[in-house]
Amino acid sequence: MRALVISGGGSKGAFGGGVAQYLIDEMKYEYDLFVGTSTGSLLISHLALGKVDKLKKIYTHVNQRSIFNSCPFVIKHDKLGGTQIGINHFVVLKNLLKGKKTFGESLNLRKLIKKTLTQKEFEQLKASGKDVVVTVSNLSLNQVEYKSIRDFNYADYCDWIWMSSNFTPFMSLARKNGCEYADGGFGSMVPIEEAINRGATVVDVIVLKTEVTYYNSLPPKNVFALLTHIHSYMADRIEKQNIRIGKFVATNKETLLNFYYTPTVLTTNSLIFDKKKMTQWWNNGFEYAKTRATESQEVKIPHEG
């Protein structure tokens, strides 16, 4: 059984989409199992349907309004063409005064999920026999949960995709079945182990981060920047732990793992959705996977005749 695992990474999911497009369209890999976290959860349903072109159009046309109905960030463009990202204090204060639990809200993302993944597509995917699994963090029970398309109806499954992608406290905190849920990356950023436990013997893993850290974080200027740095630090530790555990389980069960990391640092704030950059990242992901495939062919030792 071949599985595709895609990590969390916000807007960097565009790069992952490009990698997946090459693996599916050019390498002709057929996957029985798809497992995603956060932005990975947003990608996998359309990849399982084989609707890569539709997915690319979605990922290369989103912006802040597509995700947030209440965006806690403000983006400023300087004269040199650069961008500066800060906190929208007015939005944050308004949410706090309203008694909201988060600085921003991502209800528009929930609408986008339902708009782009139709009931008909859901039924088609469910009948295909493929297993599509999204990762969520149950904050009430302090545990990671994996939600398979096989176990839910359309409305519930859309909810789980949305919850898997809610990077609190900057995005919505959702409540379902008496529990509060948030981004799956808080517990499992790269769910390799889950794919293996579900029977995968070959796993292609798209990690939306460089394999080696290439930069040092600048000192935070305010409490919100500090909070972002803390989240980034925790995500990095969780990611590394997930990969170590995944490799250990794969060795014991003789599972083949193929890793696809981002070759360069794409962004230091993956909650900023820029159409131009995401289009470029998608194309970069496709070309990177193509290069990886070419290198793999070149290092193969020919059989002696």
Side-chain angles (χ1 to χ4, degrees):
M1 179 193 292
R2 192 172 198 123
L4 179 63
V5 171
I6 306 181
S7 78
S11 58
K12 293 182 291 183
F15 181 91
V19 173
Q21 181 182 22
Y22 188 85
L23 297 179
I24 293 172
D25 288 353
E26 303 299 324
M27 297 300 292
K28 304 300 181 183
Y29 290 156
E30 294 185 4
Y31 296 101
D32 308 289
L33 171 64
F34 297 77
V35 187
T37 291
S38 195
T39 195
S41 295
L42 294 171
L43 287 163
I44 56 176
S45 294
H46 289 91
L47 292 174
L49 284 165
K51 297 189 175 183
V52 181
D53 290 336
K54 178 181 177 181
L55 181 63
K56 181 178 181 179
K57 185 176 181 180
I58 296 168
Y59 256 80
T60 55
H61 285 78
V62 295
N63 53 32
Q64 296 302 99
R65 290 185 179 180
S66 306
I67 309 299
F68 297 96
N69 61 297
S70 178
C71 183
F73 303 109
V74 59
I75 305 172
K76 298 179 180 179
H77 300 279
D78 57 37
K79 296 180 179 178
L80 299 176
T83 58
Q84 294 182 344
I85 302 167
I87 294 296
N88 190 325
H89 295 89
F90 174 76
V91 169
V92 171
L93 181 60
K94 184 171 69 172
N95 283 333
L96 292 176
L97 291 175
K98 287 183 176 181
K100 303 290 185 180
K101 296 181 180 181
T102 56
F103 301 133
E105 290 189 307
S106 53
L107 299 180
N108 286 353
L109 175 60
R110 177 63 178 83
K111 295 177 182 178
L112 180 64
I113 292 169
K114 197 168 184 179
K115 179 181 178 181
T116 54
L117 179 65
T118 66
Q119 174 95 42
K120 183 178 180 180
E121 289 173 327
F122 171 83
E123 298 297 343
Q124 178 186 344
L125 184 54
K126 198 166 185 177
S128 70
K130 297 178 181 178
D131 198 4
V132 185
V133 182
V134 301
T135 310
V136 294
S137 295
N138 188 325
L139 302 185
S140 299
L141 299 180
N142 293 328
Q143 65 185 25
V144 179
E145 296 176 5
Y146 299 95
K147 307 297 185 181
S148 169
I149 192 172
R150 296 174 176 175
D151 301 326
F152 300 97
N153 60 32
Y154 173 67
D156 285 338
Y157 188 66
C158 288
D159 281 342
W160 294 127
I161 295 174
W162 176 58
M163 292 176 197
S164 176
S165 309
N166 276 332
F167 193 72
T168 57
F170 302 106
M171 300 172 75
S172 297
L173 178 66
R175 189 169 186 83
K176 193 174 183 68
N177 300 333
C179 295
E180 290 184 324
Y181 287 91
D183 196 297
F186 292 140
S188 182
M189 180 67 80
V190 194
I192 302 169
E193 183 182 12
E194 182 65 18
I196 298 173
N197 288 340
R198 289 177 180 263
T201 53
V202 180
V203 185
D204 295 323
V205 187
I206 300 174
V207 184
L208 299 173
K209 186 177 174 64
T210 55
E211 190 170 5
V212 179
T213 301
Y214 290 107
Y215 67 94
N216 294 324
S217 298
L218 296 174
K221 296 182 179 180
N222 52 54
V223 65
F224 296 106
L226 175 60
L227 188 59
T228 302
H229 285 189
I230 291 173
H231 273 65
S232 178
Y233 172 80
M234 291 190 298
D236 185 68
R237 303 316 302 170
I238 292 168
E239 181 182 90
K240 286 182 168 58
Q241 183 185 57
N242 292 159
I243 292 173
R244 282 198 301 269
I245 293 173
K247 288 180 177 179
F248 176 77
V249 175
T251 300
N252 288 338
K253 295 192 176 183
E254 298 183 347
T255 302
L256 176 63
L257 299 180
N258 302 308
F259 285 93
Y260 298 85
Y261 291 88
T262 61
T264 59
V265 177
L266 300 178
T267 179
T268 56
N269 191 331
S270 58
L271 292 181
I272 302 301
F273 300 86
D274 184 292
K275 293 187 291 185
K276 185 177 180 180
K277 288 183 179 179
M278 292 174 72
T279 300
Q280 184 62 52
W281 294 344
W282 186 288
N283 296 332
N284 290 348
F286 185 90
E287 291 301 320
Y288 169 71
K290 182 179 180 180
T291 302
R292 278 285 311 277
T294 302
E295 290 174 349
S296 298
Q297 291 174 359
E298 289 176 348
V299 299
K300 285 183 179 179
I301 300 175
H303 293 289
E304 295 183 359

mmCIF file of all heavy atoms in Angstrom, residues 89 235 246 294:
data_model
loop_
_atom_site.group_PDB
_atom_site.id
_atom_site.type_symbol
_atom_site.label_atom_id
_atom_site.label_comp_id
_atom_site.label_asym_id
_atom_site.label_seq_id
_atom_site.Cartn_x
_atom_site.Cartn_y
_atom_site.Cartn_z
ATOM 1 N N HIS A 89 -3.818 45.648 15.813
ATOM 2 C CA HIS A 89 -4.217 45.831 17.204
ATOM 3 C C HIS A 89 -5.708 46.106 17.350
ATOM 4 O O HIS A 89 -6.338 45.706 18.337
ATOM 5 C CB HIS A 89 -3.408 46.968 17.843
ATOM 6 C CG HIS A 89 -1.944 46.672 17.956
ATOM 7 N ND1 HIS A 89 -1.043 46.961 16.961
ATOM 8 C CD2 HIS A 89 -1.232 46.088 18.953
ATOM 9 C CE1 HIS A 89 0.162 46.583 17.329
ATOM 10 N NE2 HIS A 89 0.077 46.051 18.533
ATOM 11 N N ALA A 235 6.465 23.806 17.081
ATOM 12 C CA ALA A 235 6.165 23.078 15.842
ATOM 13 C C ALA A 235 7.406 22.379 15.313
ATOM 14 O O ALA A 235 7.346 21.239 14.834
ATOM 15 C CB ALA A 235 5.601 24.043 14.793
ATOM 16 N N GLY A 246 8.590 8.243 13.129
ATOM 17 C CA GLY A 246 8.195 7.657 11.851
ATOM 18 C C GLY A 246 9.291 6.774 11.274
ATOM 19 O O GLY A 246 9.026 5.665 10.787
ATOM 20 N N THR A 294 14.999 12.956 -11.088
ATOM 21 C CA THR A 294 16.128 12.836 -12.017
ATOM 22 C C THR A 294 17.379 12.359 -11.289
ATOM 23 O O THR A 294 18.108 11.490 -11.763
ATOM 24 C CB THR A 294 16.417 14.188 -12.690
ATOM 25 O OG1 THR A 294 15.240 14.625 -13.361
ATOM 26 C CG2 THR A 294 17.552 14.062 -13.687
#
